[in-house]
């Protein structure tokens, strides 16, 4: 049991570090928002996706409709609310943002 918990904590830490790197990269180069938009378009075209992943794409669409300001988008990604949690749950949405 302990081994599983340690692996989960390590995985959670790596995931958290990745999200923080995404935020840093977005703030350093706001053009990387286009990378996220391309990812959304790419995944939207796929025929079979999990419902949760589709919801994350939809929530990201909502964020982009609300604002194009990179700081506000980063705040929403990191927000401890339904949308922020949904976006962070699927790191594939951020593919290509971190070099």
């Amino acid at each position: 049991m302990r081994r599983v918990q340690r692996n989960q904590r390590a995985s959670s830490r790596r995931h958290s570090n990745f999200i923080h790197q995404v935020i840093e990269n977005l703030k350093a180069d706001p053009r990387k928002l286009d990378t996220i938009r391309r990812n959304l378009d790419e995944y939207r075209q796929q025929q079979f996706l999990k419902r949760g992943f589709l919801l994350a794409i939809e929530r990201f669409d909502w964020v982009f409709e609300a604002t194009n300001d990179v700081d506000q988008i980063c705040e929403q990604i990191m927000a401890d609310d339904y949308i922020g949690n949904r976006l962070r749950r699927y790191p594939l949405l951020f593919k290509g943002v971190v070099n």
Side-chain angles (χ1 to χ4, degrees), residues 3-6 9-10 23 27 36 47 54 58-59 64 74-75 81 83 95:
R3 185 179 209 184
V4 172
Q5 288 175 345
R6 275 190 216 138
R9 272 187 258 144
I23 298 301
K27 288 184 177 184
I36 295 174
Q47 190 173 9
L54 290 170
E58 184 178 306
R59 297 315 180 257
F64 282 129
C74 289
E75 280 181 37
D81 62 6
I83 294 176
K95 180 178 68 176

Side-chain angles (χ1 to χ4, degrees), residues 51-60 77 79 81-91 93-94:
R51 180 165 159 55
F53 200 87
L54 290 170
L55 285 171
I57 291 170
E58 184 178 306
R59 297 315 180 257
F60 234 133
I77 293 169
D81 62 6
Y82 174 76
I83 294 176
N85 289 330
R86 176 68 56 187
L87 299 180
R88 290 191 306 273
R89 187 176 299 163
Y90 298 97
L93 297 173
F94 306 105

Side-chain angles (χ1 to χ4, degrees), residues 19-63:
I19 296 297
H20 287 290
Q21 288 176 342
V22 166
I23 298 301
E24 290 172 13
N25 279 289
L26 287 174
K27 288 184 177 184
D29 186 5
R31 293 176 296 174
K32 294 207 175 198
L33 289 174
D34 292 332
T35 302
I36 295 174
R37 285 185 179 98
R38 281 192 300 273
N39 289 342
L40 295 176
D41 289 338
E42 176 185 334
Y43 291 121
R44 202 178 284 115
Q45 292 174 12
Q46 291 186 14
Q47 190 173 9
F48 300 105
L49 287 177
K50 289 185 175 184
R51 180 165 159 55
F53 200 87
L54 290 170
L55 285 171
I57 291 170
E58 184 178 306
R59 297 315 180 257
F60 234 133
D61 288 338
W62 290 3
V63 171

Side-chain angles (χ1 to χ4, degrees), residues 1-16:
M1 186 71 158
R2 283 187 170 183
R3 185 179 209 184
V4 172
Q5 288 175 345
R6 275 190 216 138
N7 289 342
Q8 287 176 342
R9 272 187 258 144
S11 175
S12 177
R13 231 177 277 127
R14 280 192 303 268
H15 180 74
S16 179

